[in-house]
Amino acid sequence: MKVREITLSRRRILAGLAGASALLPLAACGTVATPAAEPAEEMEEKAAPAAEEPQEPEVQVAKWFTASYGGGSFDPVQQGLVDSFNELDATLQAEYVIVPGNQQACIEKVRTGLAAGERDIGIFNCSPIWLANIGTAGLAAELDSLIARDQVDLTEYADLAINAHRLQGNLVAIPHYVNSLIVVYNKDLMNTLGEELPVDSWTWDDFLTLARKLTTGAGAQKQFGVATVPRGFNPNTPWIWMAGGSTYDDEENPTKSTMSSIETRAGLQWRADLYHKHQVTPRPGEVEGDLFSGGVSPLIVTTGAAMSRYRGDRVSFAWDVIGIPAGPTGRTTFAGSYAQAMYSESSTRDAAWGLLKHVTGRPGALAMLSVSLSVPVYTPVAQNEYRNADGQPDGIDNVLNFLTYLRALPKNPNMIAIYGPAYGTYLGQIWSGEASVEEATAAMDTIVDGELG
């Protein structure tokens, strides 16, 4: 079934609601007549109660602060969601506000707004990696009481995805969708090479065995079996977890970094060995171009959202998708998402909460299908419109299955401060070969523990 691009009606927010005010009778000046001399109609007029002026309903306008995603492709869709929300109730309205820069810039904009006394901010977008930042700064309202008040049925949402957005047990954001690791493979090239297609029950050993078989040649003629593996902190947490490691002593309430623990180092070493020992995937900067889209490498570890790069006539070969391989402790992946939080000090609370429900419920899930192939958290849409969308691969259920093995990202209240200097810098040095896993993880622990105090 081909999913139509959602086009929502647009109209301007009402500038105000006009109401007619009745004119009160003017008092007459002059001689006071006796009751007997007053006409009957004047007596009736004076006896009648004064007409009350109609009260104009109060209009709340909540601002939706968001960084510009997808090169701006999200903006018309999200503006359309605002427009459709504004048609529901003339007293609860919204305004779409694009904040230049990334999500961190958006959070900073909200933070400075709080400090400046702004109260008309309604909701703002956030990633689960920043939940502790917005929570400890007092920017995000808890949502459970509102969910209970309005009897929102959370059983219609993927529970692991929802729970990944809790802080100290309180829900502080609701995701539109989750985006996590998958493996895409070139069916045509695999068949040409005479290799059996992978199955979803595969393990790290199975993955490595296949990758080594598919890697051939040397030097400029080398063909890598795996085009690339995501290198950032978020998409590398699964390899740590599946090796039995952890990024902190307690990822929900961290007091100490554990990147240099034996188990955590084992997960990162397995990843590093793909570059340096087995050489089945190129190091950063080693090759140019997209080896998978070009039909050169038969495997790529990527995310659900990236499937859009291969749909339709974007590539010249048949492809399919499978879950990431299971490690020594089983299979786990990170709950990456695009989520919305509600401003804790909002003066437009009713409008903000109504907007948040609208954009993260069925209307938002359907609208987002036109710009993202990430899995909707609203499961009725995930199981129907998403699964049956035109162009989905045969193995789409392998993508949906990661909803059952998601794990929340760590909740460090200083994550924004340490994310780049600690994780960005030193993971990059592992992948490039500039530092060993032992050296890099020790440096990460030093930086992170210094921030945690």
Side-chain angles (χ1 to χ4, degrees), residues 30-342:
T31 304
V32 178
T34 63
E38 293 188 52
E41 58 270 19
E42 291 185 15
M43 292 287 290
E44 292 177 1
E45 182 179 347
K46 289 184 177 182
E52 294 184 1
E53 292 188 12
Q55 298 295 312
E56 294 183 353
E58 179 183 354
V59 179
Q60 289 187 12
V61 182
K63 293 179 180 178
W64 180 4
F65 277 21
T66 179
S68 189
Y69 272 76
S73 61
F74 279 31
D75 297 337
V77 172
Q78 294 182 147
Q79 179 64 63
L81 283 170
V82 167
D83 293 341
S84 64
F85 172 75
N86 289 340
E87 293 176 349
L88 300 176
D89 186 339
T91 67
L92 301 178
Q93 299 286 288
E95 177 186 348
Y96 186 55
V97 180
I98 301 173
V99 178
N102 58 19
Q103 205 168 74
Q104 294 179 39
C106 186
I107 293 172
E108 180 63 17
K109 178 74 171 176
V110 175
R111 188 192 68 77
T112 55
L114 175 64
E118 292 184 31
R119 297 295 180 264
D120 60 348
I121 301 170
I123 67 174
F124 59 98
N125 69 276
C126 67
S127 163
I129 196 67
W130 314 129
L131 285 186
N133 286 95
I134 65 173
T136 56
L139 301 182
E142 67 84 17
L143 303 175
D144 291 299
S145 58
L146 294 170
I147 287 169
R149 185 196 72 183
D150 293 357
Q151 298 183 326
V152 176
D153 187 3
L154 282 186
T155 64
E156 292 189 322
Y157 296 77
D159 59 343
L160 293 180
I162 289 292
N163 290 333
H165 294 76
R166 292 188 177 277
L167 184 66
Q168 305 296 330
N170 297 316
L171 187 64
V172 295
I174 299 179
H176 295 267
Y177 56 70
V178 284
N179 188 37
S180 201
L181 294 182
I182 57 171
V183 179
V184 182
Y185 59 94
N186 183 327
K187 294 170 69 174
D188 289 347
L189 188 53
M190 295 279 286
N191 289 330
T192 299
L193 295 173
E195 294 295 339
E196 292 186 7
L197 302 180
V199 295
D200 198 54
S201 59
W202 64 341
T203 66
W204 284 10
D205 288 342
D206 297 328
F207 175 88
L208 182 57
T209 298
L210 179 59
R212 294 177 72 175
K213 284 184 180 179
L214 296 171
T215 300
T216 60
Q221 304 302 314
K222 184 166 187 175
Q223 302 293 312
F224 290 96
V226 183
T228 189
V229 181
R231 298 165 183 151
F233 175 72
N234 293 14
N236 274 284
T237 52
W239 312 110
I240 292 171
W241 295 331
M242 289 189 286
S246 180
T247 57
Y248 293 88
D249 55 346
D250 182 340
E251 292 188 332
E252 290 295 310
N253 299 282
T255 63
K256 180 179 177 59
S257 175
T258 55
M259 293 297 287
S260 59
S261 70
I262 294 174
E263 296 82 4
T264 298
R265 290 204 315 265
L268 292 175
Q269 190 64 61
W270 187 84
R271 275 283 288 108
D273 286 348
L274 297 178
Y275 296 115
H276 310 307
K277 180 179 179 180
H278 308 297
Q279 299 179 20
V280 296
T281 191
R283 299 179 187 184
E286 188 174 355
V287 298
E288 295 182 0
D290 184 340
L291 298 182
F292 184 79
S293 294
V296 177
S297 292
L299 298 173
I300 184 171
V301 182
T302 184
T303 64
M307 290 192 302
S308 60
R309 300 173 187 170
Y310 318 124
R311 296 190 18 154
D313 58 359
R314 291 179 176 87
V315 296
S316 59
F317 52 83
W319 59 277
D320 211 341
V321 64
I322 198 167
I324 57 173
T329 66
R331 182 158 63 178
T332 306
T333 194
F334 73 107
S337 80
Y338 181 57
Q340 305 297 330
M342 191 171 85

Side-chain angles (χ1 to χ4, degrees), residues 410-429:
K411 297 181 173 68
N412 183 340
N414 300 306
M415 187 63 81
I416 289 178
I418 58 95
Y419 195 85
Y423 302 128
T425 298
Y426 290 99
L427 285 176
Q429 290 188 9

